[in-house]
Amino acid sequence: MKVSSSVFASFCLIFELLGLALFLRGFFPVPVKSSFSSKNKLSDLPAEPLAGNGPNSSKVPPPLFKRVVIVLIDALREDFVFGPNGKKYMPYTRHLVERGSTHSFVAKARPPTVTMPRIKALTTGSIPGFIDVVMNLNSPALHEDNLLWQAKTAGKRIVFYGDDTWVKLFPKHFMEYDGTTSFFVSDYTEVDNNVTRHLDSTLKRDDWDMLILHYLGLDHIGHISGPHSSLIGPKLLEMDDVLKKIHAALISKEAEGTLPNLLVRLGDQRSTPAGARPSPEINTPLVLISPAFKRKAGMEKPSVVEQVDLAPTLSLSLGLPISQNSVGRLIPAVFEETSLREQLRVLHLNGYQLSCLLRDSTLAYQKEEGYELFRVAEKSHGNWMKLYLEGNTSETLSNMGRKVLRQYIDALKAMSSALSRQLGKYDMYSMVVGTVLLVQMLLLLLLAMPEALSGAAVVDVPVGVALTSLPFYLLCLLCAALHVALCTSASASCYFCGLPWALVFAAIACSAALACALVTMAARRLAPPTKSPSKVSSPGWELSELDMLLLLGTVGHTLSLGASSFVEEEHQSWYFLLNTLCLAVFQDVCRKYFRERRRASQGGAGGDSDDEEQLLPSCKAAGPDTSPLADLGVSRGSEKWLALATPPLTLACCRLLRSLNQTGIQWAHLPDLSHWLNSGDHKVVLSLLSMASLALVFVLVQRRCSAVSKIALALGLLGVYSYRAAAGSVLFPWQHSSRAASKGTMEARFVYVFVLGILFTGAKDLLHSQLVSAEARLRGRGLWEVYSGVVLLIALLLRPHNLPTLACCLLVQSLMAQFIWKRLHYDAAQTTIMHYWFGQAFFYFQGNSNNIATVDISVGFVGLESYVEAPAIFLTALSSYAGPLLWACHLVCYLSSERDSRSSAALGHGCYCFALLRSVPAVFYVLLVTALRYHLFIWSVFSPKLLYEAMHTLVTALICIFFTFMDQSPSPSRA
Amino acid sequence: MWDTEIRGMASAHAIIASSVFMATILPAILLEKFSVYGMHLVWLYSVAGSVAVVNIAVFWLLGISPPTKRHTLSYKISRLVRSCLYFLLSCLFFHTVVVLYGAPLLESALETFSLAVLLSSMTTLRCLCMLGPNVQAWIRVFSRDGAMSVWDTSLQITTGCSVLGAWLGAFPIPLDWDRPWQVWPISCTLGTTVGFLTGLLLAPVWIHCHRKQLIYKSK
Ligand SMILES: [Zn+2]
Ligand SMILES: [Zn+2]
């Protein structure tokens, strides 16, 4: 079956996407959940176990504490309190920890450590699954069973001050709240004063039961000036004072209350702990202070608990049911002072909740060690209760009770770890099937390379041969048998097994056919040398320095993905490669212009002349009819200097953009231009900069549009500016009245109309040229109009400080196209690789990184009144991948003009190279992630990158389909 | 003829290479608490200086430099001034390129410039010694098939290796190992030096192995 290169490439990419989807489904565990919406109720609580029959109490144990104050301090590390400098930084806390009636712990938190999942983990006690983070980027209200809901239902009044993520998560739970946005990282005083200023009045009042304070200032200091900043000391002292104030107020109330109060202070970590890299387990201090605890004699080494343990502990000590999906186990030290019966009772409640969760989330729960231990403990608890109720008070009873206690603790530990393990389990079968599909596609692409890059750009896929061969049927049978065997075996819970059988067998047949086709193609590749050895040696596949660089760069970048630091700092590799590429291009330009002069003076020498003569006629032939310089008004003499100036200019642009957005992990805290521009004091500069950028965009894009599109573009860009002005990020020069800040929805919709209009005009031109006239000029214009529509849309979506990125992108594109790619006769493959590299670099110039936290979700609201899922996702994806998308669009425009002038196969080659460039890292990365699935950084570093890779493959596949569509049209050579 | 020239070059290279080692060892003896990482700039300038001095001395003594046509003092002085100017320009050029590669613009500018000085003393200075301040000759040597003598080829190889070494030296910087040699610009200067030494070693070997294929136009 013969297909053109572009069709072949799109086909491969689509299959790769399917493989990738299957792999992702197997790779990301489904979170451990009993259910999403049901909640535990007091009435559902189990009765105290009792052997035999008798009146057993089914009431909840009485609350230990009357009031709770929770103080959360972002980015508070445990060594600030427990470390050697604790006395200096936080004297009062340290004193309490050493001498007061407190319990102190080191709480281990697990990634992903983004604010929202962190708060979820604290309140629900569940470990946030990775998918949770991705699915809930826009933090909607929390519907899962959680501590705050339970407290509110029990009639407790909650007051909250601090990070407004809480307010979004728990919209109706607080009696009183004041949210502070964590968006302005540069502010570290106001953000905390806003919390502290309510404190005095609130502490005096008696009308609340639970007070939650969330301080962000320390974290912001870490973001601005790094973990060793001199600002940290004063900030810690401030926090210490806050604690002292609260503690004093609570103690003064103590006398009146019947039950003691509890003060919880917890360090928490958000996205990036104070500039340092996220370690897989983050240690934060947890200090519980209450007169109910025994006074301590001196500093002890704090024991280690999980952060999720806090939720069940708080629930039980407040007399509330434990939230349903909690995987934490209570901290026994808190209940030390209560009677043995009560201790056993709370342990039983916690165990019962965990066993229910285990039963709901595991099929073979009865085989679990923890479950059995719990059953045993429950039974001996019953026996103990019987003796206890009989009035037995002997020594043996308390010994027996302590034994039951230990049994319970062991059971809790085993069940909790079984539940956590659930999160780390991979569906290997789906993963393997996905990987096999991916690898097959990559091999297919690689084997087809000589044909796909040949002059005809046609690939012969031997499907017919494969389908009629015997090995195909054998392979089908084998795989089907294997599938049946795997899926009918015990404890199989694969996603792939859950699919309908017909679909699975179709997939198996497809894969088997591909395998046979691959073997046939490989055999064909190996065969020819014996027949015609001359044909192999003759093609001019000699690699220039540039080719070497492009090849080694691609391979080197792919290999670098194996190191977690290189994944985190991937932008550095791209910037580095791009710089080197520009220098190599610069060398090529110099060689071209200076060698020509030398040639003129000396005459051709040796092997050079052939090469030159091949190039020169085509150069002359191409010169007049393309005439790219005419529309810029550049004379032939200055062309040389412009060509020489282009690479240095590109380098300068790249350096500028690089300092615009600081991304990655290690240097993310360094100040960058975007912070400076957005800081509020420099609004004028930002306005001027975005205005200049928009003007430059207009100048660069309008050249090849029709008159109507030009006007639409100009109005659209004006609309973009007024949208930003309405949203309040830039100044509007002729309007000083401070209107009520509208969201700019009208302006944004106005721009959308123009975008659609331009896209429509472009599509109309394209269709016309495709179906009716096959006129190259019309098609070029249509393509360019589609391109300018995309540019306008992206201009709308990018934040004002990122508009220079767009302008620079267009500038570099037009300069490179005019003076480098056309002049130096780079072939389609080389141009494609360069476009791909530029696209990657611009992806990071925009401020993206391989971390989920840098996705700008606010884009999803541009022009929309409220959150609507489909357009929001589309817009977010579009703006995140603006760089690669723009370069790919430019590639289509460039190659299709190239096709009209020089090589008819340019589009096919470009499409094929594009697909290959994407497949190589994607497939390599999938293999790598499979191999590293037990690596320490798998969740924090490698998984987000996997999602980015999958998304990028999706974008590339769409572009390749567009390529194919453009390639299908009747070319002038055939017409 | 061939062999003597290669042997001469190899010994010249050996002298230059040993000067690098001497420049590392001497400060370690003379200064207290000297370490390549801790007092990196001292080491850097000592290596750059010794390479410069030894290069100039070797090429002066061997007389590789192109014979000057006029022997007037003023001509010599103008050559000297131009050489210094070229050296400075090349330092600035390397500095610019390194900044374009992402070195911080303002902070640690001294370190960046020192790296540029080291690179210049290992590349530009050798060009100045061998070819004189003559841009046409430089372009000739560094264009494809432009080498006209063994020395030109060795110049190509050592220059290429030094630059490549500096380039490769930047790779470990993003790794999070927190080693002392990952501090800017230590890995790059080490890369440059190692590349330079490799070039010195490689040049005679490569020319020796390829002496059949090498046909120089002038000879
Ligand atoms: Zn922050
Ligand atoms: Zn943070």
Side-chain angles (χ1 to χ4, degrees):
Chain A
M1 193 168 75
K2 288 199 176 203
V3 287
S4 71
S5 295
S6 51
V7 174
F8 172 70
S10 319
F11 163 82
C12 284
L13 272 181
I14 289 168
F15 269 78
E16 262 175 32
L17 273 180
L18 290 179
L20 215 52
L22 197 59
F23 180 86
L24 289 181
R25 184 63 182 69
F27 184 76
F28 289 111
V30 189
V32 178
K33 292 273 151 71
S34 294
S35 75
F36 280 93
S37 50
S38 73
K39 312 220 156 85
N40 268 343
K41 292 190 196 76
L42 273 179
S43 52
D44 298 343
L45 284 182
E48 248 175 318
L50 182 59
N53 41 11
N56 56 3
S57 88
S58 63
K59 67 174 173 44
V60 199
L64 277 184
F65 307 111
K66 181 163 161 268
R67 287 171 159 192
V68 177
V69 180
I70 301 174
V71 184
L72 267 164
I73 301 172
D74 252 17
L76 182 71
R77 296 204 312 260
E78 51 123 351
D79 60 303
F80 286 153
V81 181
F82 304 138
N85 280 334
K87 275 213 168 63
K88 192 179 82 196
Y89 284 137
M90 314 193 86
Y92 189 75
T93 316
R94 184 58 181 258
H95 171 78
L96 283 179
V97 165
E98 280 177 11
R99 311 244 157 236
S101 49
T102 58
H103 283 299
S104 35
F105 305 95
V106 172
K108 281 195 298 184
R110 298 191 200 202
T113 50
V114 194
T115 314
M116 200 265 312
R118 257 304 42 96
I119 298 174
K120 270 192 178 177
L122 271 179
T123 52
T124 63
S126 60
I127 296 173
F130 190 81
I131 287 298
D132 273 1
V133 184
V134 182
M135 293 300 171
N136 296 312
L137 274 174
N138 56 331
S139 17
L142 184 62
H143 296 298
E144 249 180 272
D145 194 2
N146 62 69
L147 177 63
L148 294 194
W149 186 89
Q150 295 285 3
K152 186 169 180 277
T153 319
K156 302 218 180 271
R157 290 151 299 176
I158 313 170
V159 177
F160 171 79
Y161 304 114
D163 189 336
D164 62 354
T165 317
W166 285 80
V167 183
K168 283 183 206 143
L169 276 175
F170 306 104
K172 290 192 186 104
H173 292 62
F174 301 122
M175 177 187 80
E176 190 181 309
Y177 62 83
D178 184 12
T180 332
T181 173
S182 55
F183 188 71
F184 301 105
V185 179
S186 53
D187 160 46
Y188 54 87
T189 38
E190 281 308 307
V191 105
D192 285 352
N193 289 344
N194 206 23
V195 180
T196 313
R197 71 191 160 99
H198 300 284
L199 216 52
D200 282 321
S201 61
T202 313
L203 286 174
K204 275 197 200 93
R205 291 185 344 227
D206 265 331
D207 60 347
W208 52 266
D209 303 296
M210 200 174 193
L211 172 64
I212 302 172
L213 307 168
H214 190 163
Y215 283 98
L216 296 169
L218 186 64
D219 179 51
H220 287 188
I221 290 178
H223 279 277
I224 306 164
S225 44
H228 307 293
S229 163
S230 56
L231 296 168
I232 285 184
K235 184 50 95 181
L236 288 175
L237 279 177
E238 184 193 328
M239 295 291 110
D240 201 43
D241 276 345
V242 168
L243 188 88
K244 194 173 180 177
K245 190 188 280 176
I246 301 170
H247 193 215
L250 286 182
I251 284 176
S252 70
K253 295 264 179 209
E254 204 70 45
E256 309 154 20
T258 46
L259 281 171
N261 301 323
L262 172 72
L263 174 59
V264 181
R265 113 167 281 157
L266 182 64
D268 188 26
Q269 226 110 18
R270 295 197 307 143
S271 51
T272 319
R277 57 168 303 117
S279 55
E281 277 181 343
I282 295 150
N283 290 335
T284 54
L286 167 66
V287 182
L288 304 173
I289 307 165
S290 170
F293 303 145
K294 233 193 301 190
R295 268 186 180 278
K296 282 213 228 149
M299 183 75 182
E300 294 156 12
K301 200 175 152 26
S303 51
V304 178
V305 296
E306 299 267 348
Q307 215 175 59
V308 286
D309 294 346
L310 189 62
T313 310
L314 280 178
S315 292
L316 289 172
S317 61
L318 291 173
L320 304 169
I322 303 174
S323 47
Q324 213 164 43
N325 298 325
S326 157
V327 297
R329 52 208 160 93
L330 58 83
I331 304 171
V334 175
F335 299 90
E336 249 168 24
E337 299 295 298
T338 56
S339 71
L340 196 54
R341 183 180 174 181
E342 271 175 32
Q343 285 188 44
L344 289 179
R345 174 73 176 137
V346 290
L347 282 168
H348 175 238
L349 286 176
N350 194 189
Y352 178 78
Q353 175 263 333
L354 282 178
S355 71
C356 285
L357 185 59
L358 198 64
R359 194 184 56 213
D360 290 343
S361 58
T362 339
L363 287 174
Y365 67 94
Q366 265 150 343
K367 287 180 206 152
E368 284 289 347
E369 190 203 352
Y371 195 79
E372 278 168 25
L373 280 175
F374 175 67
R375 284 276 157 259
V376 172
E378 208 176 22
K379 206 167 280 165
S380 38
H381 185 187
N383 288 333
W384 183 85
M385 278 300 290
K386 196 174 162 208
L387 287 177
Y388 178 83
L389 289 179
E390 281 164 6
N392 196 334
T393 49
S394 67
E395 184 77 2
T396 40
L397 184 71
S398 71
N399 279 343
M400 189 183 155
R402 233 162 268 131
K403 202 178 137 217
V404 178
L405 197 82
R406 264 198 310 278
Q407 278 177 338
Y408 265 133
I409 290 176
D410 288 344
L412 289 184
K413 194 170 171 186
M415 282 194 288
S416 178
S417 69
L419 284 165
S420 308
R421 232 181 304 127
Q422 194 88 38
L423 278 171
K425 216 158 78 181
Y426 299 102
D427 176 0
M428 276 311 277
Y429 185 41
S430 309
M431 276 163 73
V432 167
V433 174
T435 314
V436 167
L437 199 58
L438 280 169
V439 171
Q440 278 181 340
M441 282 304 150
L442 181 66
L443 287 178
L444 193 62
L445 275 170
L446 284 175
L447 280 175
M449 190 189 295
E451 285 176 25
L453 289 181
S454 65
V458 169
V459 181
D460 182 14
V461 186
V463 177
V465 184
L467 280 181
T468 50
S469 66
L470 183 64
F472 165 66
Y473 295 106
L474 288 180
L475 208 59
C476 271
L477 273 178
L478 188 70
C479 291
L482 203 65
H483 177 77
V484 172
L486 274 174
C487 288
T488 48
S489 74
S491 77
S493 58
C494 310
Y495 172 71
F496 202 59
C497 293
L499 289 175
W501 291 86
L503 198 67
V504 171
F505 285 126
I508 287 175
C510 203
S511 184
L514 267 172
C516 294
L518 273 176
V519 173
T520 321
M521 276 173 91
R524 210 163 55 193
R525 282 289 106 67
L526 292 174
T530 53
K531 287 176 197 159
S532 55
S534 63
K535 204 184 153 200
V536 179
S537 55
S538 63
W541 278 62
E542 200 166 291
L543 294 171
S544 67
E545 284 105 330
L546 190 76
D547 291 328
M548 283 296 283
L549 173 67
L550 291 174
L551 204 67
L552 286 181
T554 308
V555 173
H557 163 257
T558 307
L559 290 180
S560 80
L561 293 178
S564 62
S565 323
F566 278 122
V567 174
E568 283 172 344
E569 308 290 328
E570 200 191 343
H571 56 290
Q572 303 278 6
S573 348
W574 282 117
Y575 298 165
F576 199 76
L577 283 178
L578 194 66
N579 257 319
T580 312
L581 174 70
C582 284
L583 287 177
V585 168
F586 189 45
Q587 187 214 9
D588 262 14
V589 179
C590 287
R591 195 170 267 167
K592 176 182 173 188
Y593 286 102
F594 288 117
R595 189 170 64 175
E596 266 179 6
R597 195 168 61 183
R598 204 160 58 81
R599 223 177 75 84
S601 61
Q602 293 180 355
D608 271 13
S609 60
D610 283 349
D611 183 30
E612 288 282 304
E613 265 149 40
Q614 269 178 0
L615 285 178
L616 279 177
S618 70
C619 179
K620 269 171 201 147
D625 62 18
T626 46
S627 66
L629 304 165
D631 45 317
L632 275 186
V634 180
S635 74
R636 196 115 185 112
S638 57
E639 179 209 316
K640 172 183 158 185
W641 295 111
L642 275 171
L644 280 173
T646 302
L649 196 71
T650 311
L651 281 171
C653 273
C654 292
R655 184 65 182 84
L656 201 76
L657 293 180
R658 181 190 179 119
S659 46
L660 187 66
N661 286 306
Q662 197 73 250
T663 104
I665 299 287
Q666 279 197 55
W667 295 281
H669 61 279
L670 294 181
D672 53 16
L673 278 178
S674 69
H675 267 97
W676 187 82
L677 287 171
N678 283 326
S679 65
D681 309 338
H682 309 103
K683 220 172 184 179
V684 181
V685 185
L686 182 64
S687 311
L688 288 176
L689 194 67
S690 44
M691 239 185 272
S693 306
L694 289 176
L696 188 60
V697 168
F698 177 70
V699 169
L700 288 170
V701 174
Q702 53 88 26
R703 281 177 296 136
R704 290 191 219 160
C705 292
S706 61
V708 181
S709 304
K710 265 182 208 180
I711 296 166
L713 187 68
L715 287 174
L717 288 172
L718 267 181
V720 169
Y721 190 81
S722 49
Y723 165 67
R724 287 298 167 188
S729 39
V730 293
L731 296 170
F732 215 47
W734 51 84
Q735 186 178 26
H736 292 283
S737 62
S738 51
R739 285 184 304 166
S742 72
K743 275 170 68 191
T745 315
M746 272 315 293
E747 286 87 345
R749 286 186 182 165
F750 176 76
V751 179
Y752 282 137
V753 169
F754 283 111
V755 170
L756 288 179
I758 296 175
L759 285 178
F760 178 73
T761 330
K764 200 190 70 191
D765 280 355
L766 276 181
L767 280 178
H768 189 74
S769 73
Q770 212 96 318
L771 302 174
V772 188
S773 67
E775 195 186 335
R777 256 196 77 239
L778 196 62
R779 207 169 61 131
R781 203 179 68 188
L783 262 179
W784 192 265
E785 268 163 358
V786 171
Y787 173 69
S788 50
V790 173
V791 168
L792 182 57
L793 184 57
I794 285 171
L796 175 69
L797 297 182
L798 285 183
R799 281 169 184 270
H801 72 263
N802 266 337
L803 284 175
T805 320
L806 180 64
C808 280
C809 170
L810 296 177
L811 185 70
V812 170
Q813 278 174 357
S814 50
L815 283 177
M816 288 294 254
Q818 307 275 17
F819 300 114
I820 305 291
W821 293 318
K822 278 218 172 87
R823 302 282 111 191
L824 295 186
H825 309 287
Y826 288 141
D827 62 28
Q830 286 170 325
T831 324
T832 309
I833 300 178
M834 287 190 226
H835 270 89
Y836 180 78
W837 285 20
F838 269 106
Q840 285 295 299
F842 272 84
F843 177 73
Y844 295 105
F845 282 146
Q846 272 173 255
N848 287 324
S849 72
N850 283 332
N851 189 335
I852 296 289
T854 50
V855 176
D856 183 7
I857 319 140
S858 63
V859 176
F861 294 90
V862 171
L864 298 173
E865 293 287 0
S866 61
Y867 181 79
V868 190
E869 193 151 2
I873 289 175
F874 171 74
L875 292 176
T876 310
L878 188 70
S879 87
S880 302
Y881 283 90
L885 195 70
L886 275 178
W887 281 92
C889 285
H890 184 264
L891 183 67
V892 180
C893 291
Y894 175 77
L895 286 182
S896 92
S897 78
E898 194 67 346
R899 176 169 104 156
D900 298 334
S901 63
R902 281 203 302 145
S903 147
S904 62
L907 268 176
H909 290 176
C911 185
Y912 170 78
C913 287
F914 216 59
L916 188 64
L917 279 172
R918 187 79 287 272
S919 309
V920 171
V923 174
F924 176 78
Y925 196 72
V926 162
L927 290 175
L928 195 97
V929 163
T930 316
L932 293 180
R933 64 189 182 283
Y934 296 117
H935 191 276
L936 270 179
F937 296 143
I938 191 74
W939 297 114
S940 57
V941 178
F942 289 109
S943 309
K945 173 68 182 158
L946 185 65
L947 287 180
Y948 273 106
E949 287 286 314
M951 192 60 207
H952 195 180
T953 311
L954 178 66
V955 172
T956 313
L958 293 178
I959 290 164
C960 276
I961 291 169
F962 184 55
F963 256 109
T964 313
F965 176 66
M966 292 320 299
D967 199 26
Q968 290 314 302
S969 62
S971 73
S973 57
R974 259 181 271 163
Chain B
M1 175 63 208
W2 267 96
D3 281 344
T4 49
E5 219 168 317
I6 294 175
R7 214 167 295 147
M9 186 175 65
S11 46
H13 283 186
I15 293 170
I16 298 170
S18 64
S19 81
V20 173
F21 287 113
M22 286 305 287
T24 315
I25 293 165
L26 270 184
I29 296 169
L30 294 178
L31 293 170
E32 274 176 63
K33 288 188 276 175
F34 174 83
S35 72
V36 175
Y37 306 143
M39 302 170 74
H40 190 66
L41 288 189
V42 176
W43 174 81
L44 191 154
Y45 281 109
S46 112
V47 168
S50 71
V51 167
V53 169
V54 171
N55 254 321
I56 293 169
V58 164
F59 290 106
W60 199 296
L61 291 177
L62 286 181
I64 308 295
S65 335
T68 47
K69 286 155 209 139
R70 282 167 291 165
H71 290 273
T72 58
L73 188 67
S74 64
Y75 181 71
K76 277 186 177 165
I77 287 177
S78 93
R79 268 177 71 90
L80 191 68
V81 169
R82 270 181 33 219
S83 298
C84 290
L85 189 70
Y86 278 26
F87 185 76
L88 198 68
L89 281 179
S90 100
C91 288
L92 288 177
F93 170 74
F94 278 122
H95 187 96
T96 317
V97 170
V98 173
V99 168
L100 286 177
Y101 263 101
L105 188 63
L106 297 176
E107 58 179 285
S108 67
L110 178 66
E111 280 85 353
T112 311
F113 191 72
S114 305
L115 171 64
V117 169
L118 187 73
L119 264 169
S120 301
S121 67
M122 287 179 177
T123 56
T124 321
L125 196 85
R126 279 172 64 83
C127 296
L128 283 169
C129 289
M130 289 192 196
L131 308 168
N134 177 355
V135 180
Q136 288 299 322
W138 293 20
I139 291 175
R140 171 183 62 74
V141 169
F142 287 104
S143 59
R144 215 176 277 162
D145 310 320
M148 283 181 7
S149 71
V150 193
W151 291 101
D152 287 355
T153 312
S154 100
L155 193 62
Q156 284 178 348
I157 292 175
T158 49
T159 309
C161 283
S162 307
V163 173
L164 196 69
W167 193 78
L168 290 175
F171 276 86
I173 296 179
L175 291 172
D176 59 344
W177 297 343
D178 287 328
R179 295 292 149 82
W181 47 265
Q182 282 182 300
V183 177
W184 174 250
I186 297 181
S187 61
C188 280
T189 52
L190 291 183
T192 314
T193 317
V194 171
F196 180 62
L197 292 176
T198 317
L200 289 178
L201 182 73
L202 196 67
V205 174
W206 194 83
I207 294 171
H208 184 77
C209 295
H210 291 252
R211 61 188 183 279
K212 296 271 157 48
Q213 289 99 303
L214 285 172
I215 307 148
Y216 294 116
K217 285 165 200 162
S218 62
K219 302 208 169 168

